[in-house]
Amino acid sequence: MNISISKQQLAALPPAQFPGKIVVVDTTAGVDDAVKHLREADLIGFDTETKPSFKKGQTYNVALLQLSAPDTCFLFRLNKIGMPEPLRLLLEDKDKLKVGLSIHDDFRNLNKTYPFEPAGFVELQDYVTQWDIIDKSLSKLYGILFGRRLSKSQRLSNWEAEQLADAQKHYAALDALACIHIYRYLNDGNFNPLTSPYQVEPEEA
């Protein structure tokens, strides 16, 4: 038996809300305090955002790096501050547990501009297979576990805008925090595939 949620089931779920604090880091002066807070957390959620390209052959560098502690998400505007050393060292720290989804795509895109050697990361797409979950998107994983839908309305917005809109901040922060929630919920033994309403036969998935 596999666990999978359909697009229709996902669309019917109520929207998720970001419950914590959001801090935008758009100057190098704010980096040290942000990294200090993150290093004090037992778990860090990880994600990135890049300005979308609508022209063939046109690409952009990663504009935003989201790193979330359980209570606060920090939005590092890389297009404004680059990759300061404390931030790079945190991403390379093998002893600091970080969780994300499709992280190798993020690593590849970040490395185009900010070379680093990622360490201490858990890929949720691999992690969830222990519970027979076959979906790979963050939205579907969150829907299966929490019965809430992550909005994707801001995904193709301008992440290099002079000021990020509140909707962008909440979207970006929730994606990073969702990684923490998913990892913790599974790791703490709170999910039983046998009682999930999203059981499907393998050929149906």
Side-chain angles (χ1 to χ4, degrees):
M1 191 67 69
N2 291 328
I3 305 298
S4 178
I5 187 172
S6 70
K7 290 182 179 179
Q8 293 78 12
Q9 288 172 316
L10 186 63
L13 296 177
Q17 303 293 331
F18 181 78
K21 180 181 178 183
I22 300 173
V23 176
V24 177
V25 184
D26 54 8
T27 67
T28 54
V31 172
D32 284 343
D33 283 346
V35 170
K36 181 176 183 293
H37 187 102
L38 289 164
R39 283 193 172 278
E40 291 171 351
D42 62 333
L43 184 61
I44 297 171
F46 165 87
D47 196 21
T48 68
E49 302 296 341
T50 302
K51 180 179 179 179
S53 172
F54 301 106
K55 294 181 180 178
K56 187 177 181 179
Q58 183 183 55
T59 60
Y60 295 97
N61 295 325
V62 176
L64 191 71
L65 169 64
Q66 304 105 276
L67 293 175
S68 184
D71 61 342
T72 306
C73 185
F74 296 90
L75 307 181
F76 296 92
R77 301 206 66 187
L78 302 186
N79 59 308
K80 292 178 176 284
I81 66 172
M83 177 78 78
E85 186 177 22
L87 193 53
R88 178 181 60 80
L89 292 175
L90 177 61
L91 296 177
E92 294 182 337
D93 189 342
K94 63 180 175 58
D95 297 319
K96 200 71 222 173
L97 182 60
K98 300 166 282 281
V99 293
L101 186 132
S102 295
I103 56 177
H104 296 290
D105 291 338
D106 291 317
F107 296 162
R108 184 177 63 252
N109 291 330
L110 281 168
N111 261 295
K112 292 176 183 176
T113 316
Y114 313 108
F116 75 110
E117 296 291 335
F121 283 86
V122 171
E123 169 59 76
L124 285 177
Q125 288 184 337
D126 297 332
Y127 189 69
V128 301
T129 59
Q130 301 172 62
W131 290 268
D132 300 322
I133 300 173
I134 60 172
D135 288 327
K136 298 298 184 183
S137 77
L138 189 66
S139 293
K140 288 193 170 187
L141 296 181
Y142 201 83
I144 288 169
L145 298 182
F146 303 111
R148 290 284 187 273
R149 171 176 46 83
L150 298 177
S151 170
K152 291 290 140 187
S153 62
Q154 297 298 314
R155 185 171 65 88
L156 297 179
S157 59
N158 180 12
W159 295 103
E160 295 184 8
E162 185 59 31
Q163 299 290 332
L164 293 178
D166 286 345
Q168 288 179 299
K169 295 175 189 176
H170 283 85
Y171 166 91
L174 185 53
D175 272 9
L177 183 64
C179 293
I180 291 180
H181 287 171
I182 291 168
Y183 179 86
R184 274 190 169 168
Y185 193 78
L186 294 172
N187 192 57
D188 291 347
N190 292 319
F191 179 68
N192 182 356
L194 297 177
T195 60
S196 172
Y198 302 111
Q199 297 180 47
V200 295
E201 296 294 340
E203 62 268 18
E204 293 177 28

